[in-house]
Amino acid sequence: MSSVEAVVTSADADDGHAVAELVGVSKSYAGGVAALRSVDMVVEYGELLAIVGPSGSGKSTMLNLIGTLDRPSSGTVCIDGFDVATLSDRQLSALRSRRIGFVFQQFHLAAGRDALGNVADGLLYTGAGRRDREQRAEAALTRVGLGKRLTHRPYQLSGGERQRVAIARAVAGDPPLLLADEPTGNLDSVAGGGVMELLHELHQSGTTILVITHDREIADSLPRQVQMRDGQVV
Amino acid sequence: MSRPNAPGLIDARRRGTSPGDRKRAREALRPARLRTSDLIRLGGYGLRLRPLRAVLSALGIAIGIAAMIAVVGISASSHADLDRELAKLGTNMLTVSPGKTMFGEQATLPDESVAMIKRIGPVQSATATGVVGTAHAYRNDRIPAAQTGGLSVVAAKLDLLDTVGAELSRGVWLNEATDRYPTVVLGATAAERLGTGPTVYIGGRSWVVVGVLQKVALASELDTSVITGWPAATTYLAFDGHPTTVYTRSVESQVEAVRAVLGATADPSAPSEVDVSRPSEVLSLRRATNATFTSMLLGLGSVALLVGGIGVANTMVISVLERRSEIGLRRSLGATKGQIRTQFVAESLLLSLIGGAAGALMGYLVTGSYALTQGWPTVVPPWVLAGGVGATVAIGAIAGLYPAIRASRLAPTEALAAA
Ligand SMILES: Nc1ncnc2c1ncn2[C@@H]1O[C@H](COP(=O)(O)OP(=O)(O)O)[C@@H](O)[C@H]1O
Ligand SMILES: [Mg+2]
């Protein structure tokens, strides 16, 4: 799966567009908070980068825009070659279902479903059949080192393992872009280190990964850092 | 992963202005359909998050549906029993009795009325009884005369049993020999009241009991009668010989036509004084008298259904509020607004269908056990079951729609932040 994806990814890269491109992007919320102010940024295929900055500097806002969960107040956001402004809500959903994987600080796992179910359900909106989803889920869980934890429910897993399940869910569909918002924020340093190691491995097998963190040390361990302060890239 | 990737297109697509680009985007970015099986499974997961709450809110629907089905089922079973009974008894019997005169006195029928009625074409048989008003029956000669026990002494023609459809529970019916001597056959109730002795005491002498009748559904007045032969009543009890009830059977299709002429035939001089009735109708009417009770129960059932529907809606509203982060996650995984909406409607439908199915089963069991105690056949008309299912589907859809729309309108970022 991943080798096929790597081919597709490099083909995408040959097209000349970036996996994410932000031009003059601003975002202000109701109440007049300018969370992002005229941000320009390009993320190329195959990158592993950190967006780092203090709390409230606009990192999550940026991730939401790149993840097409929200639209900018002004400026252009292009993801995988598509201008978000030209796409309908349905099209953005389809874009997310196949091209973007999310990892959240709070894991967002379904308590009533085991690891395999959680990961397989992540493929629900790709149109894959149930068998296919379960096979891919098992492969993804094996890939993150949880091949022996398939039937464990979230409460039976450690924090680090839960985040691995969430990562498996995000990468099971082999999206070209993986977005992680403070993925180690709820983990101790050992578990956090394990998760970062896993992200490095995924990056080596071809996935573009964007990690949000307020932790300088984590940011410095990645090939590229984008610094943010007060809604601006510095 | 199909995406147009000819290099020349990319810049135009980024600008995103030409209609061709939008078309390409539409093709590349078409959301996948959720399969029905996945949708049902999704609804099931949702309900299993809070099983007790699901059970309680399904219970409201179940009670409503059970009430509806039991009410209709019990009434249908009663009708089925009646139909079965009427099929056995026949609905072609008409009875003629003298009403009141215009001066308010009890009228009598002319002696020749039975012969006249027999001459009506479609009439297959006609027979008569005459109440011996002056005589009363007692267990023995030691019972005070005032204790008549509510029984009447009735003279009968020999062909009475066939026409009214009566059966003996023991002994024999009167015949050419016994009907001129002091012998009687007792109606079922009369036999209970007079005991099982070999004789009863009427008009100052003992009469030999030769037989006892079973209950007569179409002529229940015979149950409380002590029946003597026509000649014996004349001889020993000063019976005037006037018939007081004539029983007829007619060709089924002509019953109404016969009924129209029966009064005038029985008593041409005073047809308006004659009462003609069709006992099978009286039976039906007696069963139908609880119609108001039935509609009251149906009303209660629909109130229960309404309350059940509100319960389901309430459950769904709370569920949507509690599961904002799940909704946000699903949106991030690529669920469209429509798919979120469908998921919650499916959950609501499933919830009320479970309630409806449980209710249908309960309603069926209630009908079955009630019918069993009454000795009726169990009948639940298919249209009630279909109606019950239809009602639960409608309730589920209506109750789920508003919460589902709210869920689908949540902004993904807001929903995710709710964790
Ligand atoms: N939905 C919102 N409504 C109003 N203000 C918001 C909203 N989300 C974020 N903000 C504000 O925007 C700024 C940037 O927030 P955020 O992107 O979450 O920062 P970070 O992730 O770097 O901590 C903050 O001042 C925050 O209070
Ligand atoms: Mg943040």
Side-chain angles (χ1 to χ4, degrees), chain B residues 348-363:
Chain B
S348 171
L349 274 179
L350 198 63
L351 185 58
S352 52
L353 274 178
I354 288 170
L361 187 68
M362 272 157 53

Side-chain angles (χ1 to χ4, degrees), chain A residues 91-107:
Chain A
Q91 289 172 321
L92 289 182
S93 299
L95 180 78
R96 289 194 294 271
S97 74
R98 283 165 225 153
R99 290 154 204 259
I100 304 174
F102 290 90
V103 175
F104 302 100
Q105 183 176 350
Q106 312 88 330
F107 320 139

